[in-house]
Amino acid sequence: MLLAGGVVLVAINLRPAAASIGPVLNRIEAGTGLSSGWAGALATLPVLCFGLLAPVGPVLARRLGLRTTIAAAMCALLAGMIIRLIPGVAFLFVGTGMAGAAIATGNVLVPVLVRRDFAQRTGTAMALYSTSLIAFAALAAGVTVPVANALGGGWRPGLAVWAIPVAAAALAWAPALFRHDVSASRNSQDVTGTGHECCSAGSPRAPAGGRAGSAPSDGTPRGAAIPVRGPRAALTLLRQPLGWQVTLFFALQSGGFYATLAWLPSIFRSHGASEAHAGLLLSLTMVVGLITAVMVPGLAGRGRDQRRLVLASCVLTAAGLLGILLAPMSAPYVWTVLLGLGQNASFPLALMLIVLRGGSVATTERLSTLAQSVGYVLAALAPLAVGALHGLTHSWTPALILLLGLVAPQLLVGLGAGRDRQLSVPG
């Protein structure tokens, strides 16, 4: 239970730093003098950090221990969210980048923690993780503007409030910074070693496709440390089509989500919605997504083939985008509900595909690093492209057509990743 609570505390802080920017992006532009291009870069910066710095997490975990690294990431996230409140555009970008780097570590390592310590309850644990993550992303999208208004206007109060749950997480995980991590002292260091840090659990663990007490499926002897050979080992998975399919599915669903997170309020505002109403509509996409976030991991974990879930998530996403494109204010709540159900089914499904297709703990760690490093770098192009298209055309129509067009390759690679297969262990 303590470990589950620790996972939730991390999860609730992995999206507000990014989700709180979009609703007040116009205020940031007005208050700092940023152009729309630089505002788009600010909104994209966390996603870019998620990708470029994802390989750093496993390296740190190998040296310091898994839970110690997660604890350090929460402290770094708190520092970044405070720094970006300091007057000056440079501090805004530096703090946002630091927050993105910290979140990148959590993005990669929490699925590994779930895979290791909840091996017999992976679907339930992943549902808890993804639901907590999406719930606070929704809260950040919907509450940032009202909080900013209540605290005197401007954008800083709206962003500052999200440092509070980060502080709670950093405090809860702080013991892991000061207690020796057994796995970090072994010559064969790994992100799967046991330790005595915060939120430790003693429940039995089993590898995917195996039972508690069995040897991992990659042939590592029971009880032995599973070595992590760094980012280069993750890249070896690209030699297998399944590695590409999982990575590209993660990239495409993330690109659509973060483009929505950054620009959906601006799209609705261009059609006459107020700032608060536009933020509410963005929040609604994630609130309704809690339904699919709860259901999808369990459904994916119980079945061997996830292609029907891929199809359903893509159809819902396309329907929502099409409605926003053709008649945005005729039924905005319907369109945002459809979009939210689809996008927030794709995210936990992408995480489950990493776990299910990885097979062993070591391969899961490599696939998580690959999917989130390459995936987020590619995903960062989507909000940039949307902002650039709007800047060039002064219309949201081309941008929405682009997002709608990205659903097709997402479906294609998702159908490949959803087949009942596992990656082979690189030699």
Side-chain angles (χ1 to χ4, degrees), residues 18-20 52 108 140 146-147 204-205 211 227 285 292 317-318 324 344 373 382:
S20 58
L52 292 177
V108 172
V147 167
R205 297 183 286 271
R211 297 179 180 177
T285 65
T292 47
T317 300
I324 296 171
N344 291 295
S373 57

Side-chain angles (χ1 to χ4, degrees), residues 107 137 186 222 267 272 278 299 318 359 411 424:
N107 284 340
R186 297 173 179 167
R222 183 172 64 237
I267 292 172
L299 292 173
L411 174 61
S424 60

Side-chain angles (χ1 to χ4, degrees), residues 51-398:
L52 292 177
L53 300 178
V56 176
V59 174
L60 293 175
R62 183 180 62 183
R63 294 180 178 275
L64 304 177
L66 179 56
R67 295 176 192 167
T68 302
T69 303
I70 292 174
M74 291 297 99
C75 294
L77 176 57
L78 178 61
M81 295 187 75
I82 292 173
I83 289 173
R84 71 178 182 175
L85 302 176
I86 300 174
V89 172
F91 288 112
L92 176 60
F93 276 87
V94 169
T96 300
M98 184 180 295
I103 294 170
T105 301
N107 284 340
V108 172
L109 295 185
V110 171
V112 179
L113 184 72
V114 168
R115 175 68 185 81
R116 186 190 75 178
D117 291 340
F118 297 92
Q120 295 177 317
R121 302 178 300 277
T122 300
T124 302
M126 198 61 76
L128 181 67
Y129 166 67
S130 58
T131 301
S132 302
L133 188 150
I134 293 170
F136 264 68
L139 195 62
V143 170
T144 297
V145 169
V147 167
N149 291 340
L151 297 178
W155 54 269
R156 285 188 176 86
L159 299 186
V161 69
W162 302 111
I164 297 173
V166 179
L171 184 63
W173 282 84
L177 295 172
F178 305 103
R179 294 183 182 177
H180 181 62
D181 188 339
V182 175
S183 65
S185 66
R186 297 173 179 167
N187 292 330
S188 182
Q189 294 170 331
D190 65 287
V191 300
T192 65
T194 58
H196 303 288
E197 315 91 328
C198 162
C199 310
S200 62
S203 57
R205 297 183 286 271
R211 297 179 180 177
S214 63
S217 60
D218 60 359
T220 304
R222 183 172 64 237
I226 300 176
V228 176
R229 300 176 181 86
R232 291 183 180 179
L235 291 175
T236 62
L237 298 180
L238 291 179
R239 299 171 186 169
Q240 304 176 53
L242 181 57
W244 273 109
Q245 290 163 349
V246 173
T247 298
L248 290 177
F249 182 77
F250 190 95
L252 290 164
Q253 64 84 25
S254 294
F257 174 79
Y258 284 103
T260 298
L261 200 64
W263 297 112
L264 189 64
S266 297
I267 292 172
F268 278 117
R269 287 196 68 196
S270 72
H271 291 284
S274 68
E275 188 178 42
H277 187 203
L280 176 63
L281 290 169
L282 175 62
S283 179
L284 182 61
T285 65
M286 287 173 276
V287 170
V288 299
L290 292 174
I291 300 171
T292 47
V294 170
M295 294 177 59
V296 166
L299 292 173
R302 284 195 294 269
R304 291 182 175 274
D305 191 303
Q306 290 76 38
R307 283 178 289 184
R308 290 183 181 180
L309 293 173
V310 170
L311 177 62
S313 66
C314 290
V315 168
L316 288 168
T317 300
L321 289 171
L322 190 62
I324 296 171
L325 173 65
L326 298 178
M329 298 308 293
S330 64
Y333 293 100
V334 174
W335 311 140
T336 52
V337 165
L338 291 172
L339 181 61
L341 290 173
Q343 288 187 334
N344 291 295
S346 298
F347 173 66
L349 181 56
L351 293 180
M352 284 300 296
L353 289 175
I354 291 173
V355 173
L356 295 172
R357 299 298 171 255
S360 69
V361 177
T363 307
T364 299
E365 181 273 327
R366 296 178 190 178
L367 184 57
S368 180
T369 301
L370 174 65
Q372 299 198 54
S373 57
V374 177
Y376 276 128
V377 169
L378 294 176
L381 299 176
L384 277 177
V386 167
L389 281 173
H390 178 258
L392 289 172
T393 64
H394 303 288
S395 169
W396 291 110
T397 297

